[in-house]
Structures are given as C-alpha cells and as structure tokens.
Amino acid sequence: MTILNSASVVVYAGKKQRNYKMKSTLLAFAAAATANELVDISAVVNTADAGWHAEKPTQFNTFNEVQNVCGTINDNRTLLSSKEAKAPINNFPVDFDSRTHWSNCTIIGKVGSQAGCGSCWAWSATEVAESFMCIKGQLDTGIELSKLDTASCCSGAACGYSQSCTSGTPSAAMMWIERTGVVSGGAFNSSIGCEPYSLAPCSVDPTDPTDPLPACHEPKPPPTLTCSSTCSNPGFKTPYASDKRGANNGWYPNGLSYRDDNNSHAMAYMIENGPISATFSVMEDFPTYRHGIYQHVSGKFLGGHAILIVGYGTENGTDYWTVKNSWSEYWGEGGFFRIRRGVDEVGIESHMTGWNKQIDENLQL
C-alpha cells in the first residue's frame, strides 16, 4: 500500500479537495488494518492445526463487509418438536448428502450470491422451501424460487420483523411462504422466472484470475429491496399472483434442535425430507475459511447468519455437517463449508428448522 504524506495532500488547492484526499487516505488505512487482521487471524487458525485451512478472503476486505451480510435476527425464539427420530442413530448411514441422494433436484447443489445484502435469512428460508418442494414432487426439477420475493415482501410483525437487507428470521420467512407462497426467480441477470435476484454478485477481488465477479468493496449502506406484486422479468409471461408456489399446502416450520439424542432427530428428518434451514454465529475467523471442518479458533462475534444444511458425514473421526452458504461459489469449498457436528459449534444446532405436515403442539413462534 502507498502511504500519502502531507506534501501529496497539499498539492490540492481547494479545502474540499484536501479533505476528500485525507478522508480517502484514512479509509484506505482503516481497510488495510482490517485486511491485515484477516491475514493475522488466518495465520492463527493455520498454526492451531484445528482441522481446517484459512486464508485472507478475496470476498471481504473488512469485518464491516462481513457484518453487512450477516442478517439473521437472534431473537431467542425457538421452534420445538416432540417427535422422535424414526430410526436409531446406529441405523443411519455414516455419510449422507442431499445433493446426490436427490440428484434430480439440482437446485440443492446450486450456490448463489446474496451480494452486499443481509438477506441470508430469506435465502435460507427460500432454499429449504425449493429443496423440500422438489423432493416432494411439488416443484418441477430445475425450478428456482425467488430469494428476492422473500427478502423484499416478507416484512413486519407477520414475518418476525424481518427487514430486507438488514435482518430477518428464517423460520418466520418459512411461515410467510406457507401463507403467501413465493414466486420463481433465478440469479441476477439470469432472465429466469418471475423475479430474478436484483443485486449483482460482488465483494470479490478482481485480481484473482479464477474469480470473474467484480469487486464492490466501496463503503455503502445495505440496499433496500422494494416489494412488488408484478414480475420484474419482462420475458416471464405468468402473472405474479399465479406464479406463487407453496401457499397453504399444509406444511409448517418445525424445530429440529435436538442435541440430547446426538442429532438423530435432525438427521432422520434430513434423510426423509432433505435440507434443513439453520442459523449460527459468525466469528471473525469464519470468513477466512477455505476448506476442512470448521470450528471456532479465534476472533469475536460479528453477527448471525442463516444457511442451508444439506448433509452430514465423518472425516478422520470428526463428525460434521455439510452446509450451503450464499456467498457465491468462489468462497469456501465451492460455496459450501463443513462444520463440526454434535457439539453445537457456534450455535448451529440451536436453531435448525424443517417442514412438518402439521403444527406440533409445542410449536412456538
């Protein structure tokens, strides 16, 4: 990094220009300092030999950028279920992956980008809905549901006070989908479905030759998404209201947070029904994840994040969950990551949610 000295600032005659130059310099210093912290925390992780490899991420330059995409509300609401697992833990396969078990539902393995928006709650809720509906034969193979529709229209008290790119609750968004349905919609600029995602994938270092996405490291507040009752894709001919999927189908969010039975409840659900929506606490070392089985090593809490658990397994004696993130396929293991299973690592087993045919008597929203 080039450091500007006082002489390089004084060449600007106007006071406004001098202030702008100094402000830019200070912002550059701050970004570099934070980037160095990401490098330092990567070194700590790799020295600790904790079972995963860390690198300074290309997707984020600062911890603030990470916080911008951590949009899950930790409101202590819990969805409970009294249902028992359908099979004892020793009858479960050692490894299970929804992507291969239901290979016809290619949407399970498709990774998207929430861009610089804290809409992870909407992505998690919509992804678990589209996966479940495909598995149950309620959604044609290849149909992708609109994360934009959920993020922009699921709001207020009826949606757990979710707020667009700021924050939200996946379980409340799942209830919204059950009440109103969600339209189809693919990735940004895809011309797929009623409402493709409106924000371009970004926050990636353009100097990485393997990463074609443009950088968007400039400081700016998260965008506000506006709910629309018409399709934004001019080439899509089905009306918005007619394209809604999943409304009033009798399925409701059901809690799977059973750690006292070694997660057999969640695992039994996954084997029968597919991926699970979950949230966890993002710590400062998590953005540096590259590959391996994540466990928190170093750093403070940055925010809550919602994701999709698609499978589980065991490697070298360590049990793990396989998780789909929404930070593009250029992060982690092709957009996925693995995290320790059975120990509630960074809270990932505390708020796991799937679908159930009827509301359980212990369901609390």
Side-chain angles (χ1 to χ4, degrees):
M1 173 185 171
T2 302
I3 300 178
L4 298 175
N5 57 31
S6 57
S8 64
V9 176
V10 235
V11 296
Y12 290 87
K15 181 179 179 181
K16 183 176 181 180
Q17 290 173 310
R18 288 200 304 271
N19 289 341
Y20 175 81
K21 190 70 173 181
M22 295 183 71
K23 181 179 179 181
S24 299
T25 305
L26 292 174
L27 287 173
F29 286 156
T34 310
N36 287 336
E37 289 176 354
L38 287 167
V39 172
D40 292 343
I41 209 166
S42 300
V44 170
V45 170
N46 295 331
T47 301
D49 192 24
W52 60 283
H53 179 70
E55 294 177 8
K56 191 270 178 188
T58 58
Q59 184 165 11
F60 306 107
N61 268 346
T62 69
F63 287 137
N64 284 340
E65 289 176 356
V66 181
Q67 289 177 312
N68 284 341
V69 297
C70 294
T72 297
I73 298 173
N74 293 321
D75 59 357
N76 297 319
R77 298 190 307 169
T78 303
L79 285 83
L80 304 176
S81 172
S82 61
K83 294 184 179 296
E84 297 179 356
K86 293 189 176 181
I89 189 70
N90 57 2
N91 285 351
F92 288 168
V94 176
D95 298 282
F96 183 82
D97 194 323
S98 299
R99 294 170 293 180
T100 54
H101 189 74
W102 291 285
S103 57
N104 61 306
C105 294
T106 55
I107 190 62
I108 299 174
K110 186 175 182 179
V111 177
S113 171
Q114 65 188 83
C117 170
S119 58
C120 58
W121 59 275
W123 279 76
S124 178
T126 310
E127 286 178 335
V128 75
E130 65 190 5
S131 300
F132 181 86
M133 291 169 65
C134 179
I135 289 168
K136 298 301 180 183
Q138 300 174 356
L139 192 67
D140 290 342
T141 300
I143 297 294
E144 187 173 356
L145 297 182
S146 173
K147 288 75 182 176
L148 176 64
D149 191 29
T150 306
S152 59
C153 295
C154 180
S155 61
C159 194
Y161 296 99
S162 300
Q163 299 177 7
S164 183
C165 288
T166 304
S167 57
T169 307
S171 57
M174 290 169 68
M175 286 294 289
W176 175 85
I177 290 173
E178 195 283 329
R179 288 193 306 271
T180 70
V182 58
V183 299
S184 60
F188 173 79
N189 211 24
S190 65
S191 298
I192 295 175
C194 173
E195 284 198 352
Y197 201 60
S198 62
L199 303 176
C202 59
S203 296
V204 181
D205 185 357
T207 62
D208 182 352
T210 66
D211 191 340
L213 302 180
C216 62
H217 293 307
E218 71 275 9
K220 60 182 180 183
T224 299
L225 303 176
T226 303
C227 180
S228 174
S229 58
T230 59
C231 294
S232 59
N233 178 8
F236 190 75
K237 302 307 179 185
T238 304
Y240 176 91
S242 301
D243 192 49
K244 285 282 190 176
R245 323 290 178 98
N248 303 312
N249 62 8
W251 297 94
Y252 298 89
N254 199 200
L256 303 169
S257 304
Y258 270 35
R259 297 190 301 279
D260 57 350
D261 62 357
N262 198 23
N263 292 293
S264 61
H265 186 76
M267 293 162 72
Y269 172 89
M270 181 177 293
I271 290 170
E272 182 178 356
N273 300 300
I276 295 170
S277 170
T279 65
F280 69 98
S281 297
V282 172
M283 312 302 285
E284 287 179 339
D285 61 354
F286 180 73
T288 69
Y289 174 89
R290 186 60 181 171
H291 59 78
I293 302 173
Y294 175 80
Q295 60 176 303
H296 176 230
V297 175
S298 179
K300 302 187 295 294
F301 171 77
L302 290 177
H305 189 47
I307 40 71
L308 192 73
I309 301 177
V310 302
Y312 65 83
T314 301
E315 182 176 87
N316 298 325
T318 301
D319 297 334
Y320 65 83
W321 298 110
T322 303
V323 184
K324 179 164 75 169
N325 204 353
S326 50
W327 291 354
S328 89
E329 67 269 33
Y330 302 105
W331 179 90
E333 297 179 332
F336 291 79
F337 67 96
R338 288 174 293 155
I339 185 171
R340 286 204 305 170
R341 170 169 56 91
V343 294
D344 197 25
E345 187 67 40
V346 290
I348 197 165
E349 288 153 8
S350 291
H351 293 89
M352 305 169 76
T353 311
W355 295 99
N356 192 23
K357 189 61 178 175
Q358 59 185 3
I359 297 182
D360 188 270
E361 66 271 15
N362 293 321
L363 181 67
Q364 299 175 359
L365 281 175

